[in-house]
Amino acid sequence: MLGPRVWASVRQRLSRGLSRNVRGKKMDIAGIYPPVTTPFTANAEVDYGKLEENLHKLGTFPFRGFVVQGSTGEFPFLTSSERLEVVSRVRQVMPKDKLLVAGSGCESTQATVEMTVSMAQVGADAVMVVTPFYYRGRMNSAALIHHYTKVADLSPIPVVLYSIPANTGLEIPVDAVVTLSQHPNIVGMKDSGGDVTRIALIVHKTRHQDFQVLAGSVGFLLASYALGAVGGVCALANVLGAQVCQLERLCLTGQWEAAQKLQLRLLEPNAAVTRRFGIPGLKKAMDWLGYYGGPCRAPLQGLSPADEEALRVDFSSNGWL
Amino acid sequence: MLGPRVWASVRQRLSRGLSRNVRGKKMDIAGIYPPVTTPFTANAEVDYGKLEENLHKLGTFPFRGFVVQGSTGEFPFLTSSERLEVVSRVRQVMPKDKLLVAGSGCESTQATVEMTVSMAQVGADAVMVVTPFYYRGRMNSAALIHHYTKVADLSPIPVVLYSIPANTGLEIPVDAVVTLSQHPNIVGMKDSGGDVTRIALIVHKTRHQDFQVLAGSVGFLLASYALGAVGGVCALANVLGAQVCQLERLCLTGQWEAAQKLQLRLLEPNAAVTRRFGIPGLKKAMDWLGYYGGPCRAPLQGLSPADEEALRVDFSSNGWL
Amino acid sequence: MLGPRVWASVRQRLSRGLSRNVRGKKMDIAGIYPPVTTPFTANAEVDYGKLEENLHKLGTFPFRGFVVQGSTGEFPFLTSSERLEVVSRVRQVMPKDKLLVAGSGCESTQATVEMTVSMAQVGADAVMVVTPFYYRGRMNSAALIHHYTKVADLSPIPVVLYSIPANTGLEIPVDAVVTLSQHPNIVGMKDSGGDVTRIALIVHKTRHQDFQVLAGSVGFLLASYALGAVGGVCALANVLGAQVCQLERLCLTGQWEAAQKLQLRLLEPNAAVTRRFGIPGLKKAMDWLGYYGGPCRAPLQGLSPADEEALRVDFSSNGWL
Amino acid sequence: MLGPRVWASVRQRLSRGLSRNVRGKKMDIAGIYPPVTTPFTANAEVDYGKLEENLHKLGTFPFRGFVVQGSTGEFPFLTSSERLEVVSRVRQVMPKDKLLVAGSGCESTQATVEMTVSMAQVGADAVMVVTPFYYRGRMNSAALIHHYTKVADLSPIPVVLYSIPANTGLEIPVDAVVTLSQHPNIVGMKDSGGDVTRIALIVHKTRHQDFQVLAGSVGFLLASYALGAVGGVCALANVLGAQVCQLERLCLTGQWEAAQKLQLRLLEPNAAVTRRFGIPGLKKAMDWLGYYGGPCRAPLQGLSPADEEALRVDFSSNGWL
């Protein structure tokens, strides 16, 4: 299914990847990542200009990199070519020293492999692969291990596991994570479930592996750091990038009291732009805070005036607006 | 997004549809439908030859039609062109007097509209549109009403709502169904949730509309008929087509005692090929019962020997093997 | 723990029970039962006078009997002596030819046995035993089989299993029901879960046993009859007793079309007095329809004016008010 | 319902309580508490001798106090008089400088008030009141606020809210907690849900109140400390008391790296004695580690040999056996 041109590119990237890991270490993914939103015009076309503007502004923060085509990027609403074009544009405008982690998960193993290879071709440094989930009743450890092993075997770039039960109704079982952590091309995991006891258990049971865990939300970022996670993919970083990076710094330098104070003030705005109001809430907050948010693609609807007001309170009552 | 050639075809089909409904009645979808499986070769390619053979055999039963690209058809694992090609092939080989209902649901409204129009072009008589679900936290009544209204407005062929919470984690709220039942191009609903009280409530609250409800599984088919549903989309009909049609006949002719006896004997094999062992279980049973089942696409795995044995018992203990 | 006087009474009742079953058949529990509410005064004392008045009115319908101290009876809010006194009073005023089924479930096996024996002493004909549930994470088939077997071994009167997941978060697994159905002193089951496929499966897998299934709500009563259940314990029968009995009659005489019409008109009022507004809703409707409803014990709160209005619409829009 | 003797005692205790809070501060509940198990003989009688022996051993650790009749104490299996007698005995043998927090929750508000007063009489310093839950569909914020306000109004000793969704299927909504935190006799909350983002939000939104949060399990103890909780009620402290107290000390003195190391080693044994194997697992581990565990009351069953082995591995693989 993959033509010769693709595989040539893959080999090239593979060798680049290998040269980066001369000591046999896996890629280090520690740090903070905003999961970039996809801006749309009023006609629901991808607005690449606004995407670039947002990236320029986000590029000024000390992020480790950007997650492109994560759940926050409305990836299920984009065509395959849009998914690749967005990643390609981000690659062009983002700072060279940062990582581009692209979401490449699809339902079938084969499509995921193909999307993964394509993401590598258009410039992704790593892929983040959401669990297949439509047939979640059959997605047991054996099926998930088979899926991720195949993807990681064939991916020219490192693979990050991605578990987000609020969207998928499915968690990667801990035993499956432990098995997969031993794969040379699986470097870590983003866990968005919010169960920090589970995150800690994964840290504990993969402690002899070269495997890193990222929190999937700023809501439990401090707790995740305290338990051994190395960073986070945080929707809120799209609007409060400085603050999320400051929280990282406070945790990494052991200033836990100050970290706690800041963490608490981020809880409500974070819940507002994730669980409570979703991407429409995040985009509205972006509009307020100097970025381009704009509309979502249907069927996601904009906020009602009442919801918008509640969103504003979640920011203002914590001093962010 | 839709080119002029597409719309010409759409208009043509629309006028065909209109001529079919001279009395202003919506399409009648009452009856039994097997949700056709997609056969794959050992190399995971779609095996169109086996698809045609299965259809020839299924064509001998008094089904009302065929559902193609439902959940049982592994539609999330197919490319867009494979989805269309499968529907096109089924159209060619299936009996002319039966309905072809094609699954055209995608995550975005726009993609669903485009897939719907394409399905009409390749010969579908109606589409069955699964709820968008990745952002299920935001898929409230307003969002779903907006989505389905747009799709139905732009679809050249009738639309059937499709609610399957086991896969999507989401149900279309009853109030949304009631609103949507008034749309001239929304003819009915397939409900796979198994809550017959809900099915009855939908029947009751849409009783003044021209709107039909289909049970999404043979497990609650008798109960659904008893409460006013008009048919079913039944995975088990892929292997026990005669029996499912017989159950329909017994219900429609008021032979409820005989219907009960038959219904009870279908429960375990039905659970085995749906909830318990999924599509891998159904395809294995097809292999036993004269059809081509074959492998699923990854990440769906085949049955273990123990599961296969349990599947066999579920059929044999009820006299079907 | 049980004194000699108790056991004497138990033995006496056991022999009465045995004489009733000369042909070796278990007690026949087929029919409709209202789960009687417990009336309280404004001071939250049990109002035995109002209880008797309600019973006199309910006694005019062709019920098979009464369930006393079911979930609708607010049993968790009563002391042990109140539970027994209520049953004793009902025994005195209810028609002699009807069955008194008393809820005797407690969390521990020992307490359940003692309450069961006491219920027999004060006049219950059978007990309905809800699953223990506080430690539901450990209430697997083995634990539930152990519990019910012990209770049934020591109960002087027949035992009915009682599964109500909306309150307990727990279902008795089908395999446990099948095992328990073979116990000579376990006569049947009340299933309030509403999953009629499960009810049908239980009917099917206990078909060689002397075991009867009752629907736990009128919401799925017709469907349950159609699948082999023999009756129902229906909260709505406290206010629409004639209609629920009529639905039973229509089902038993094979008048399924008329049954369907009636069933559909009962859905909304039934949902209103169970899932939607709970016991406060039921008691409010009793106040409207000629019974004494009155307040619930705290922490159950009365309805808001808006809820009360919605409750009224659920009855009036179906022609019952 | 409460006789004059009771109220005399209540008044006396109230004045004792007041004298303890001369500065108008609520009781300080910060620290670690084992939720004490209830030992039973082979005949399922409470074994008060073994209870005292266990308490003597537990008394050597720097706990803040003991929780008696929590979920770990099998309180739903005890009679009211057993519940009080157990608390009374613990009061007699436990060190005078520690707090005795007694579980006094019942389903009805009235019963909870009476049990609370009785617990105060037999020597409890505070009560921990689990949410009523059988009618959880109606236990919204209004009902819970009404319930806890009434209990706190009438309790002679401070009240701790107790939310344990794994057992009750119910959480106290954050807005209800915030309202209740303002009550002068409600001093804090034990949250066993494990959602530390929720715990942090409660800390944040009650920051202007005199209100303390305790983690309900050692699984998220470090994270809870890091986010502003002040202690924990930890089942594991019944067997690894020194280690849980050491984890507290490391957190309180800011030794977060050492704390993390210890926290991670406690995860698996903790999960084993709570979620995975429940009280039977905890009691088995007590038997191994120098305490009296013994049997549970039915319907709780002992561990199978395979489960026992898995329990052992969860301890030994982390160096605790």
Side-chain angles (χ1 to χ4, degrees):
Chain A
M1 270 132 267
L2 302 174
R5 206 169 60 90
V6 174
W7 279 112
S9 159
V10 164
R11 269 191 300 274
Q12 187 177 34
R13 186 162 292 273
L14 264 170
S15 60
R16 240 175 66 194
L18 288 172
S19 69
R20 201 162 33 209
N21 295 308
V22 283
R23 294 162 309 152
K25 288 276 289 178
K26 292 179 184 175
M27 176 186 279
D28 178 4
I29 59 171
I32 301 296
Y33 303 74
V36 177
T37 60
T38 305
F40 296 107
T41 67
N43 291 324
E45 305 284 353
V46 178
D47 192 330
Y48 294 103
K50 295 296 185 189
L51 175 66
E52 294 184 8
E53 285 177 34
N54 283 345
L55 258 292
H56 279 302
K57 289 172 189 161
L58 290 170
T60 63
F61 300 111
F63 296 132
R64 177 71 178 99
F66 300 92
V67 166
V68 188
Q69 303 302 314
S71 298
T72 306
E74 296 178 58
F75 78 87
F77 296 161
L78 303 193
T79 64
S80 295
S81 55
E82 284 174 332
R83 286 177 76 170
L84 294 170
E85 181 65 16
V86 165
V87 170
S88 175
R89 295 293 185 102
V90 171
R91 176 82 281 172
Q92 288 161 32
V93 297
M94 67 179 260
K96 299 285 168 259
D97 61 327
K98 296 198 190 302
L99 288 180
L100 195 168
V101 181
S104 67
C106 301
E107 283 288 344
S108 80
T109 305
Q110 183 177 324
T112 305
V113 168
E114 290 175 16
M115 181 61 82
T116 296
V117 170
S118 298
M119 286 295 188
Q121 282 185 284
V122 295
D125 295 302
V127 283
M128 182 169 285
V129 180
V130 72
T131 52
F133 54 92
Y134 193 75
Y135 300 106
R136 58 192 158 121
R138 302 292 300 167
M139 289 300 104
N140 54 18
S141 285
L144 292 170
I145 288 172
H146 182 275
H147 177 75
Y148 281 112
T149 299
K150 197 85 172 191
V151 172
D153 282 350
L154 296 176
S155 172
I157 52 177
V159 170
V160 179
L161 312 177
Y162 180 15
S163 190
I164 181 164
N167 292 63
T168 63
L170 182 74
E171 280 196 323
I172 313 178
V174 172
D175 68 299
V177 175
V178 172
T179 298
L180 291 167
S181 72
Q182 302 164 27
H183 192 289
N185 205 24
I186 295 178
V187 297
M189 175 174 192
K190 173 190 173 190
D191 197 312
S192 296
D195 178 351
V196 298
T197 306
R198 175 183 145 91
I199 286 178
L201 189 60
I202 290 170
V203 167
H204 183 52
K205 291 181 76 88
T206 62
R207 67 190 180 279
H208 302 309
Q209 305 302 325
D210 186 5
F211 188 79
Q212 295 177 312
V213 180
L214 301 174
S217 165
V218 83
F220 45 98
L221 184 62
L222 183 157
S224 298
Y225 271 119
L227 291 163
V230 301
V233 180
C234 305
L236 193 68
N238 281 293
V239 281
L240 298 180
Q243 290 81 355
V244 178
C245 289
Q246 190 188 351
L247 178 54
E248 175 198 31
R249 204 162 41 245
L250 293 170
C251 292
L252 292 180
T253 56
Q255 302 180 66
W256 294 100
E257 277 188 47
Q260 185 193 113
K261 279 207 178 68
L262 179 55
Q263 170 71 81
L264 295 180
R265 290 175 61 207
L266 297 177
L267 292 174
E268 289 174 292
N270 178 62
V273 302
T274 55
R275 190 161 28 84
R276 193 170 180 199
F277 299 120
I279 307 173
L282 175 59
K283 286 191 163 178
K284 177 56 68 182
M286 291 177 75
D287 286 331
W288 292 339
L289 287 158
Y291 300 87
Y292 177 79
C296 294
R297 274 199 174 158
L300 280 177
Q301 306 292 300
L303 300 189
S304 69
D307 286 350
E308 205 172 300
E309 182 51 29
L311 173 73
R312 184 177 290 277
V313 169
D314 282 332
F315 276 81
S316 63
S317 69
N318 288 282
W320 307 122
L321 262 183
Chain B
M1 268 131 271
L2 302 174
R5 207 169 60 90
V6 175
W7 280 112
S9 158
V10 164
R11 267 191 301 273
Q12 189 177 32
R13 185 163 292 271
L14 265 171
S15 59
R16 243 175 61 195
L18 288 172
S19 68
R20 198 159 39 206
N21 296 308
V22 283
R23 295 159 308 151
K25 288 277 288 178
K26 292 179 184 175
M27 177 187 278
D28 178 3
I29 57 172
I32 300 295
Y33 303 74
V36 177
T37 60
T38 304
F40 296 109
T41 65
N43 291 325
E45 304 285 352
V46 178
D47 191 330
Y48 293 103
K50 296 296 185 190
L51 175 66
E52 295 184 8
E53 284 177 33
N54 284 345
L55 258 293
H56 279 302
K57 289 172 190 161
L58 290 171
T60 63
F61 300 111
F63 296 132
R64 176 72 177 97
F66 299 92
V67 166
V68 188
Q69 303 302 313
S71 298
T72 305
E74 296 176 60
F75 78 86
F77 296 161
L78 303 193
T79 65
S80 295
S81 54
E82 285 174 332
R83 285 177 76 171
L84 295 170
E85 181 65 16
V86 165
V87 170
S88 175
R89 294 294 185 101
V90 171
R91 176 82 282 170
Q92 288 162 31
V93 299
M94 66 179 261
K96 297 288 169 254
D97 60 328
K98 297 199 189 300
L99 288 180
L100 194 168
V101 181
S104 67
C106 302
E107 283 288 343
S108 81
T109 305
Q110 183 177 322
T112 305
V113 168
E114 290 174 16
M115 181 60 82
T116 296
V117 171
S118 298
M119 286 297 189
Q121 283 185 283
V122 297
D125 295 302
V127 284
M128 182 168 286
V129 180
V130 72
T131 53
F133 55 93
Y134 193 76
Y135 300 107
R136 58 191 156 121
R138 303 292 300 166
M139 289 300 105
N140 54 18
S141 286
L144 291 171
I145 289 172
H146 182 276
H147 177 75
Y148 280 112
T149 300
K150 198 84 172 193
V151 172
D153 283 350
L154 296 176
S155 173
I157 50 177
V159 170
V160 179
L161 311 176
Y162 179 16
S163 190
I164 180 163
N167 292 63
T168 65
L170 181 74
E171 279 196 323
I172 312 179
V174 171
D175 68 298
V177 175
V178 172
T179 299
L180 291 167
S181 72
Q182 302 164 29
H183 193 288
N185 206 24
I186 295 178
V187 297
M189 175 175 191
K190 172 190 172 189
D191 196 314
S192 297
D195 178 350
V196 298
T197 306
R198 174 183 146 91
I199 287 179
L201 189 60
I202 290 171
V203 167
H204 184 52
K205 291 180 77 85
T206 61
R207 66 191 180 280
H208 301 309
Q209 305 302 324
D210 187 4
F211 188 79
Q212 295 177 311
V213 179
L214 300 175
S217 165
V218 84
F220 45 98
L221 184 62
L222 182 158
S224 298
Y225 272 119
L227 291 163
V230 301
V233 180
C234 306
L236 193 68
N238 282 293
V239 282
L240 298 181
Q243 290 80 355
V244 177
C245 289
Q246 189 188 352
L247 178 54
E248 174 198 30
R249 204 162 42 244
L250 293 170
C251 291
L252 292 180
T253 55
Q255 303 180 63
W256 293 100
E257 278 187 48
Q260 186 194 112
K261 279 207 178 67
L262 179 55
Q263 170 70 81
L264 295 181
R265 289 175 61 206
L266 297 177
L267 292 173
E268 289 174 293
N270 179 62
V273 302
T274 56
R275 191 164 28 84
R276 191 169 182 199
F277 299 119
I279 307 174
L282 176 59
K283 287 191 163 178
K284 176 57 66 182
M286 290 176 76
D287 286 332
W288 292 338
L289 287 157
Y291 300 88
Y292 177 80
C296 293
R297 273 199 175 158
L300 280 177
Q301 306 292 301
L303 300 190
S304 69
D307 285 351
E308 203 172 303
E309 182 51 29
L311 174 72
R312 185 177 289 279
V313 169
D314 282 332
F315 276 80
S316 62
S317 68
N318 287 283
W320 307 122
L321 263 184
Chain C
M1 269 130 270
L2 303 174
R5 206 169 60 90
V6 174
W7 279 113
S9 159
V10 164
R11 268 191 301 272
Q12 189 177 31
R13 186 164 291 272
L14 263 171
S15 60
R16 239 174 65 195
L18 287 172
S19 69
R20 200 161 36 208
N21 295 308
V22 284
R23 295 162 307 153
K25 288 276 290 177
K26 292 180 183 175
M27 176 186 278
D28 178 5
I29 59 172
I32 300 295
Y33 304 73
V36 177
T37 60
T38 304
F40 297 108
T41 67
N43 292 325
E45 304 285 351
V46 178
D47 192 330
Y48 294 103
K50 295 297 185 189
L51 176 65
E52 295 184 8
E53 284 176 35
N54 284 344
L55 259 293
H56 279 302
K57 289 173 189 160
L58 291 171
T60 62
F61 299 111
F63 295 132
R64 176 72 178 97
F66 299 92
V67 166
V68 188
Q69 303 303 313
S71 299
T72 306
E74 296 177 58
F75 79 87
F77 295 162
L78 303 193
T79 64
S80 294
S81 53
E82 285 174 332
R83 286 177 75 170
L84 294 170
E85 181 65 15
V86 165
V87 170
S88 175
R89 294 295 185 101
V90 172
R91 176 82 282 172
Q92 289 160 32
V93 298
M94 67 179 260
K96 298 286 169 256
D97 61 327
K98 296 199 189 301
L99 288 180
L100 195 168
V101 181
S104 67
C106 301
E107 282 289 344
S108 81
T109 305
Q110 182 177 322
T112 305
V113 168
E114 290 174 17
M115 182 60 81
T116 295
V117 170
S118 298
M119 286 296 188
Q121 283 185 282
V122 296
D125 295 302
V127 283
M128 182 168 286
V129 181
V130 72
T131 52
F133 54 92
Y134 193 75
Y135 300 106
R136 57 192 157 120
R138 303 292 300 166
M139 289 300 104
N140 54 19
S141 285
L144 291 170
I145 289 172
H146 181 275
H147 177 75
Y148 280 112
T149 300
K150 197 85 171 191
V151 172
D153 283 350
L154 296 175
S155 173
I157 50 178
V159 171
V160 179
L161 311 177
Y162 180 15
S163 190
I164 181 164
N167 292 63
T168 63
L170 182 74
E171 280 195 324
I172 313 178
V174 171
D175 68 300
V177 175
V178 172
T179 299
L180 291 166
S181 72
Q182 301 164 28
H183 192 288
N185 206 24
I186 295 178
V187 298
M189 175 175 192
K190 173 189 172 190
D191 196 312
S192 296
D195 178 352
V196 297
T197 306
R198 175 183 146 91
I199 287 178
L201 188 59
I202 290 171
V203 167
H204 183 52
K205 291 181 77 86
T206 62
R207 66 190 181 279
H208 301 310
Q209 305 302 325
D210 185 5
F211 187 80
Q212 295 177 311
V213 180
L214 301 174
S217 166
V218 82
F220 45 97
L221 184 62
L222 182 158
S224 298
Y225 271 119
L227 291 162
V230 301
V233 181
C234 306
L236 192 68
N238 282 292
V239 282
L240 297 180
Q243 291 80 355
V244 176
C245 290
Q246 190 188 351
L247 179 54
E248 174 198 29
R249 204 162 41 244
L250 293 171
C251 291
L252 292 180
T253 56
Q255 303 179 64
W256 294 100
E257 277 187 48
Q260 186 194 112
K261 278 206 180 66
L262 179 54
Q263 170 70 81
L264 295 180
R265 290 174 61 207
L266 297 177
L267 292 174
E268 288 174 293
N270 178 62
V273 302
T274 55
R275 191 162 26 86
R276 192 170 181 197
F277 299 119
I279 306 173
L282 176 59
K283 286 191 163 178
K284 178 55 67 182
M286 290 177 76
D287 286 332
W288 292 339
L289 287 158
Y291 300 88
Y292 177 80
C296 294
R297 275 200 174 157
L300 280 177
Q301 306 292 300
L303 300 190
S304 69
D307 285 351
E308 205 171 301
E309 181 52 30
L311 173 72
R312 185 177 290 278
V313 169
D314 282 333
F315 276 80
S316 63
S317 68
N318 288 284
W320 307 122
L321 263 183
Chain D
M1 268 129 270
L2 302 174
R5 206 169 59 90
V6 174
W7 279 112
S9 159
V10 165
R11 268 191 300 274
Q12 189 177 31
R13 185 163 292 271
L14 265 170
S15 61
R16 242 174 62 196
L18 287 171
S19 69
R20 201 162 32 208
N21 295 308
V22 283
R23 296 160 306 153
K25 288 277 288 178
K26 293 179 183 174
M27 176 186 278
D28 178 4
I29 58 171
I32 300 295
Y33 303 74
V36 177
T37 60
T38 304
F40 297 108
T41 66
N43 291 324
E45 304 285 353
V46 178
D47 191 330
Y48 294 102
K50 296 297 185 189
L51 175 67
E52 295 185 8
E53 284 177 33
N54 283 345
L55 258 293
H56 278 302
K57 289 172 189 161
L58 290 170
T60 62
F61 300 111
F63 296 132
R64 177 72 179 98
F66 299 92
V67 166
V68 188
Q69 303 301 313
S71 299
T72 306
E74 297 176 58
F75 79 88
F77 296 162
L78 303 193
T79 65
S80 295
S81 53
E82 284 174 332
R83 286 178 75 171
L84 294 170
E85 181 65 15
V86 165
V87 169
S88 175
R89 295 293 185 101
V90 171
R91 176 81 282 171
Q92 288 162 30
V93 299
M94 67 178 260
K96 298 289 169 251
D97 61 328
K98 297 199 190 300
L99 288 180
L100 194 168
V101 182
S104 68
C106 301
E107 282 289 343
S108 82
T109 305
Q110 183 177 322
T112 305
V113 168
E114 291 176 15
M115 181 60 81
T116 296
V117 171
S118 298
M119 286 297 188
Q121 282 186 284
V122 296
D125 295 301
V127 284
M128 181 168 286
V129 180
V130 72
T131 52
F133 54 93
Y134 192 75
Y135 301 107
R136 59 191 157 122
R138 302 293 299 166
M139 289 300 105
N140 55 18
S141 285
L144 292 170
I145 289 171
H146 182 276
H147 177 75
Y148 280 112
T149 299
K150 198 85 171 192
V151 172
D153 282 350
L154 296 176
S155 173
I157 50 177
V159 170
V160 180
L161 311 177
Y162 179 16
S163 190
I164 181 165
N167 292 63
T168 64
L170 182 73
E171 280 196 324
I172 313 179
V174 172
D175 69 298
V177 175
V178 172
T179 299
L180 291 166
S181 72
Q182 301 164 29
H183 193 288
N185 205 24
I186 295 178
V187 297
M189 175 174 192
K190 172 190 173 189
D191 197 313
S192 297
D195 178 351
V196 298
T197 305
R198 175 183 146 92
I199 287 178
L201 188 60
I202 290 170
V203 167
H204 183 52
K205 291 180 77 87
T206 62
R207 66 191 181 279
H208 302 309
Q209 306 303 324
D210 186 5
F211 188 79
Q212 295 177 311
V213 180
L214 301 175
S217 165
V218 83
F220 44 98
L221 184 62
L222 182 158
S224 297
Y225 271 119
L227 290 163
V230 301
V233 181
C234 305
L236 193 68
N238 282 292
V239 282
L240 297 181
Q243 290 80 353
V244 177
C245 289
Q246 190 187 351
L247 178 54
E248 173 198 32
R249 204 161 42 244
L250 293 171
C251 291
L252 292 180
T253 56
Q255 303 179 63
W256 294 100
E257 278 188 46
Q260 185 194 113
K261 278 206 178 67
L262 179 55
Q263 170 71 78
L264 294 180
R265 289 176 61 207
L266 297 177
L267 292 174
E268 287 174 293
N270 178 63
V273 301
T274 56
R275 190 163 27 84
R276 192 170 182 198
F277 299 120
I279 307 174
L282 176 59
K283 287 191 162 177
K284 177 56 66 182
M286 290 176 75
D287 286 332
W288 292 339
L289 287 157
Y291 299 88
Y292 177 81
C296 294
R297 273 199 175 158
L300 280 178
Q301 306 292 302
L303 300 190
S304 68
D307 285 351
E308 204 171 301
E309 181 52 29
L311 173 72
R312 185 178 290 277
V313 169
D314 282 332
F315 276 80
S316 62
S317 69
N318 287 283
W320 306 123
L321 263 183

